[in-house]
Amino acid sequence: MTLEEARAAVTPWGLPRVEHDEDDGSATVFTACREIRVDVALEEPGRVTAVELWWPGEGRRTGVRVLLDGDDVFTTPADHLLRRAQERGWTVDRSEPQYPFIPGASLGFTRETSQDVPRTSGGLPVHVTSVLVADEHYYEHRPGTAARPASRRRGRVQEEGRRQHGPVA
């Protein structure tokens, strides 16, 4: 999918915002489906490589459900979500606890936030704060990147309030 196709696909949710990285030719389309933030990453010039969905944020609710084989990604405790993935026979890479991912299925999760949320004894948020979806070979082609969100791999850490709460248009 090209940048223009991605922009057209998400426009029914509202006018998307596009950021370009002149250094590497990548781009990100930012939008939201109700309260769920959607980042469409074009990490290779002209081609969508991943889509990342973000938890609505502290104190916010949404009627949108993001499901992983029946489990709600943002309301099921992350440890349970990842354990159930392993029970299904999927490999779960937890080498970076704040960025677990499932290679082959190419699902990456973020477990970090500066918001006041329940945390595990290890300090991680109880629930994931984002899920990245890509093709089955996504993590094979990106050694050393683990499951960091596309925006972070390119060094574009965005202020968390804007990422999870702010307008995207």
Side-chain angles (χ1 to χ4, degrees):
M1 178 179 283
T2 67
L3 173 61
E4 290 310 313
E5 291 169 330
R7 188 180 307 182
V10 302
T11 295
W13 299 332
L15 185 63
R17 182 172 47 86
V18 178
E19 287 185 9
H20 297 273
D21 185 326
E22 302 303 324
D23 294 334
D24 64 10
S26 65
T28 304
V29 178
F30 297 97
T31 191
C33 178
R34 292 188 235 163
E35 296 80 13
I36 300 291
R37 173 76 179 264
V38 180
D39 297 352
V40 181
L42 291 89
E43 297 166 295
E44 298 168 8
R47 185 172 89 76
V48 170
T49 54
V51 175
E52 191 162 21
L53 308 174
W54 290 90
W55 166 66
E58 180 182 0
R60 298 185 115 197
R61 302 277 184 248
T62 181
V64 176
R65 295 181 64 209
V66 178
L67 302 176
L68 175 58
D69 208 14
D71 293 325
D72 190 310
V73 171
F74 297 125
T75 62
T76 303
D79 289 334
H80 179 78
L81 184 73
L82 298 172
R83 185 173 45 256
R84 296 241 318 137
Q86 287 177 303
E87 290 169 359
R88 292 180 186 105
W90 296 335
T91 299
V92 176
D93 185 319
R94 297 179 192 225
S95 57
E96 291 186 67
Q98 67 274 35
Y99 302 112
F101 68 101
I102 302 172
S106 289
L107 295 171
F109 305 92
T110 301
R111 289 186 74 181
E112 70 175 359
T113 182
S114 61
Q115 296 184 45
D116 184 23
V117 298
R119 297 188 178 267
T120 67
S121 60
L124 295 171
V126 169
H127 301 93
V128 300
T129 53
S130 81
V131 59
L132 179 140
V133 182
D135 76 25
E136 62 201 28
H137 303 291
Y138 186 77
Y139 293 110
E140 295 171 15
H141 298 258
R142 289 161 175 78
T145 61
R148 286 191 181 96
S151 59
R152 295 220 173 107
R153 280 193 303 278
R154 289 192 307 274
R156 289 190 197 154
V157 177
Q158 311 210 336
E159 77 180 79
E160 190 160 345
R162 186 179 80 177
R163 180 185 321 131
Q164 293 183 357
H165 297 292
V168 294

